[in-house]
Amino acid sequence: MRQSTVAQVRFNTESTQRQYGLVGTAAEFGWLAEQIVVVDADLGVSGRFGAERDGYRQIVARMCMGEVGAVFGLEVSRFGRSNADLTWLMELARLTDTLLIDTDGVYDLANVNDRILLGLKGQMSEIELHFLLGRLHGAKLAAAQRGELRHPLPVGFVYDYDHTVVKDPDEQVQRAVTDLFAEFERTGSALGVVRAFAETGRLFPQRAWGGAWAGQLKWGKLTHARVLQALKNPTYAGAYTFGKTRDVRRVQPDGSVRSARRKRAREEWTVVIEDHHEGYLTWSDYLSVEAKLAANNTQKNARPVREGTALCQGIIFCGVCGGRVGTRYDRRDRKVTYSCQVKDSARTPACRNFSATAVDDAVAALFLDTITPEQIAVAVAAAEEVAERHTRSHRAAELAVQQARYEADRAERAFSNVEPENRLVARTLESRWEARLAALTEAEAALATAKAAKPPLPATDSLQALAHDLPRLWHAETTSPRDRKRLLRSLVADVTLLPEPDAQTMRIGVRWHTGATDELAVARPGPGRTPEAALEVIRRHGATHTSAEIADMLNADGLTTGKGKPFTAGGVARVRDAYKIFGPRTVAVQDGEVSVKQAAAELGIPADAVYNWLRLDQVPARRGPSGRWCIPWDPATQEIYQQKVAGSFRLTPLPPAQRSPS
């Protein structure tokens, strides 16, 4: 038994009953009831490929085992739409002396005439399938080219009485769909839309297809998959489409055939009718959304805007090897560095690391200087969008309150109209009224939460004044790094770190979307680039003076560090370490004092822990003339250090017998 689709099983019941009636035919031919086996595993399964049908495989297996005397069917095509499957079944029937019986007669495959007749029927069945598919697909394509072929509509659209696609008359549904596209325009990512809906507690509708809830709307939390599904659906742009997917068949190693549905590129869609109906966005907006989603796809080497502070992240390249430049964040000193990301085999000696702050400051200064007064109107429009978004964020909650209030009033009227004596009905209506009142309370609470989630907007005059001062808007604390990156990318295509002949200078190339280019030369900041005049003073006096004395000399001569700051004793000491300039040899530790290593040995802990306490000024000590730490090791000081060791959960002091002698 076989039916091609589940719909045929549900609605073409007469054919199914006729196939089950073959049990009586087999009994009339003389088979006993216990000898008759009904194979109905292929109901609702296409007959194109026998390897995909459990019932077909069951018949073949039992025929090979010699357990089948005859196979009954209404017609030969029931065994398979593929002529190869039918031929294989006929060959097995010939070898096992199995009869094939349908409404036209009994076929003994050992008889060559019966084989020819069944083979002809199988070819006719396969050709019949070709003509049927051709006529059906031709009719569908003709209707689709007129935009009249009906298909399930996404949420937010319905068919009216004359089968025209229109927006859902429910304002709450319209508002939810509008908010989805508005939030994507604001955040620039599908995940940002999900977060925006979650922050305000907004729900999104979904239409059920099939089952008891077929055609009805359900409200639930918005998910990332549903956002992508809506953003990629051209129906929301007012377009009618057909042929966006294609069927692909693959032959598996075991010889079976598997079918899969693959998406086509937009240029390969069979039918595209723009302005077919009223949409929630224009076709150009849909193409813009498509481009933004492609720019967010990191699996295809896209570099979307991230949360970090690096302004040029994602659009910066190395001018030496041509590779991408990545961003490296150092948690210890909170430094941000641009570093070439190519592999070591392709990395050249000229590929260097650059301070992200120096590069970003230079590019931002060029960007702000390039903005013309005509583009101020864009900032004003952005401020108006903020005001509209502030109102739109809680508009959906207001509509939900209106709907809940209507349902509560309706339940109240139904309860008021029932006769008091009819308590069975009154109790049911009363409980329904109470449920509607509870839903109204929840909707009002959600509205209050949505309004409280958004801070009040400033006056329009102040927004316009701020829009005319773009540098102030750029440097405002309320402007997030993501907003600065989006604003920069609106005009700047990419940034290139060009090779420089001078190691102390950075050459930065900026390419605008218009095709114009600019080149910047910026001095590379310190540390590690102390001026030569200061290095000469440190080398000349390093062997005879302390770091503090040399710092006073440098400051008296008006010399500064690589960052333009005054010298300190610690700064001079770091320069000494970097350039191997040794200080005067003096005895630092006096009587009654110990060094850091000696104190650590007495306590049975690592010396790094003592250095950390000294840097944080948590324990008593003094600096010697050479900059070494000297700890007065009296009973009071020892008590302080021992308390620090006892109060630390990370330190495990060594037993006294294992400690090094001081």
Side-chain angles (χ1 to χ4, degrees), residues 44-96:
V45 180
S46 175
R48 292 186 180 182
F49 304 105
E52 298 180 358
R53 293 186 286 136
D54 295 335
Y56 176 85
R57 292 197 299 266
Q58 179 182 350
I59 293 176
V60 170
R62 300 192 67 170
M63 287 177 62
C64 294
M65 296 173 64
E67 299 177 354
V68 181
V71 180
F72 287 77
L74 289 182
E75 55 189 35
V76 176
S77 62
R78 294 290 178 186
F79 296 124
R81 289 292 188 179
S82 173
N83 196 33
D85 293 337
L86 181 60
T87 302
W88 175 238
L89 187 68
M90 291 168 52
E91 181 65 15
L92 292 177
R94 182 182 70 84
L95 296 175
T96 58

Side-chain angles (χ1 to χ4, degrees), residues 8 41 43 64 67 121 211 224 236 277 314 323 393 401 440 456 471 533 561 590 603 641-642 646-647 655:
Q8 290 181 352
L43 285 177
C64 294
E67 299 177 354
K121 284 188 174 183
H224 185 259
Y236 288 105
H277 54 271
S393 62
V401 170
L440 176 60
T561 64
Q590 301 176 358
L603 299 171
Y641 277 81
Q642 291 172 357

Side-chain angles (χ1 to χ4, degrees), residues 7 12 17 159 186 193 283 293 333 357 389 396 439 492 544 550 646:
N12 298 352
Q17 293 178 4
Y159 288 107
R186 180 179 67 89
V193 177
W283 182 254
L293 291 176
D333 51 10
T357 303
R389 186 168 64 248
V492 176
T544 58
I550 296 176

Side-chain angles (χ1 to χ4, degrees), residues 73-152:
L74 289 182
E75 55 189 35
V76 176
S77 62
R78 294 290 178 186
F79 296 124
R81 289 292 188 179
S82 173
N83 196 33
D85 293 337
L86 181 60
T87 302
W88 175 238
L89 187 68
M90 291 168 52
E91 181 65 15
L92 292 177
R94 182 182 70 84
L95 296 175
T96 58
D97 294 330
T98 302
L99 301 177
L100 299 182
I101 303 175
D102 64 4
T103 55
D104 292 336
V106 179
Y107 304 93
D108 182 5
L109 278 302
N111 189 325
V112 65
N113 294 323
D114 288 352
R115 290 204 305 273
I116 294 175
L117 180 58
L118 280 182
L120 180 61
K121 284 188 174 183
Q123 292 181 356
M124 292 178 61
S125 176
E126 193 169 8
I127 295 173
E128 178 191 15
L129 177 63
H130 171 75
F131 286 119
L132 286 175
L133 291 178
R135 287 195 295 267
L136 292 174
H137 184 72
K140 290 177 60 176
L141 181 60
Q145 289 175 343
R146 299 191 305 269
E148 298 177 359
L149 181 64
R150 297 185 59 177
H151 53 77

Side-chain angles (χ1 to χ4, degrees), residues 3 129 171 203 207 264 284 314 370 378 381 488 521 536 546 571 612 623 631 651 659:
Q3 292 277 54
L129 177 63
E171 293 184 12
L203 303 179
R207 194 176 302 280
R264 291 176 173 174
S284 60
T370 308
V378 177
L488 181 72
E536 180 62 27
T546 64
N612 185 47
R623 284 275 194 178
I631 304 173
L651 296 176
R659 299 178 184 178

